Amino acid sequence: MKNIVIITFSMLSGIISAQVAIGKTAVSSPSVSLEFGTANRGMILPWVTSAASVTGAVNGTMIYDLSDKKVKIKYASLWKDLSVDNAGTTVDPLTGVDGTLIQNTAAENTNAKMAVGPLTSTPGILVLEASDKAMVLPKAASPHLSIINPSPGMMVYDTVSKQLAVFNGKVWSFWK
């Protein structure tokens, strides 16, 4: 009986589409796979030693590159800089602590992965697997004014300027 339940669950999980709401009770549309609430918070990208050290990245992969302190996206087999040529920092302006020192003491589980949708072999930490759904970024009105002490690698949708905003540790860059 236990095997039948496991097999049935496994088969159903492959056809059920996953939707996740963070900071709210439900997603706003059936075409959304991941959606965030309206608090003045952003999503922090994974910090990597360098973009060149990332193996197996597919187009659309986003990172915070510690070698030059920039937010980057994999696009057409190259890494595109989203920080507009402004190098950032990982030093917290309130405490003076360098975030890389905190990260380097933690043991990384290289097999860790969270997938929203059917789990595939696509590399990444958080992978949205659905081909018919999209992620809705966290939203904030004027994040450069409203998000206090943002973290390097943070990204959010600015509801005032209607642009993607990315923070590299020093400055916000805005993209239409």
Side-chain angles (χ1 to χ4, degrees):
M1 181 66 176
K2 183 178 177 183
N3 289 339
I4 293 172
V5 171
I6 292 172
I7 291 170
T8 303
F9 177 74
S10 297
M11 290 174 62
L12 287 175
S13 66
I15 59 173
I16 296 173
S17 61
Q19 292 182 295
V20 177
I22 298 174
K24 58 190 298 184
T25 57
V27 295
S28 61
S29 164
S31 64
V32 172
S33 59
L34 178 61
E35 186 172 13
F36 297 85
T38 57
N40 284 333
R41 297 184 179 111
M43 183 174 79
I44 300 173
L45 299 170
W47 290 13
V48 300
T49 307
S50 72
S53 69
V54 179
T55 58
V58 296
N59 286 338
T61 300
M62 299 182 81
I63 60 166
Y64 181 74
D65 187 336
L66 289 171
S67 68
D68 57 7
K69 312 251 186 325
K70 294 183 177 185
V71 175
K72 296 180 180 176
I73 185 169
K74 184 80 170 206
Y75 176 74
S77 301
L78 299 172
W79 288 100
K80 181 174 175 65
D81 176 14
L82 294 179
S83 297
V84 195
D85 298 327
N86 292 311
T89 182
T90 54
V91 177
D92 186 312
L94 297 179
T95 64
V97 175
D98 189 337
T100 57
L101 299 175
I102 297 168
Q103 274 201 352
N104 291 341
T105 61
E108 180 181 1
N109 179 354
T110 56
N111 294 320
K113 177 178 180 175
M114 169 62 191
V116 177
L119 187 60
T120 67
S121 61
T122 303
I125 296 170
L126 171 63
V127 181
L128 307 179
E129 298 284 3
S131 60
D132 61 344
K133 291 181 176 40
M135 175 179 71
V136 177
L137 288 174
K139 298 173 186 169
S142 303
H144 60 293
L145 301 174
S146 62
I147 297 180
I148 308 304
N149 198 21
S151 296
M154 181 176 282
M155 71 180 187
V156 64
Y157 180 75
D158 183 348
T159 59
V160 174
S161 67
K162 299 191 180 348
Q163 297 176 329
L164 168 67
V166 294
F167 185 71
N168 70 0
K170 280 191 180 177
V171 298
W172 287 95
S173 297
F174 297 87
W175 290 80
K176 283 190 177 192

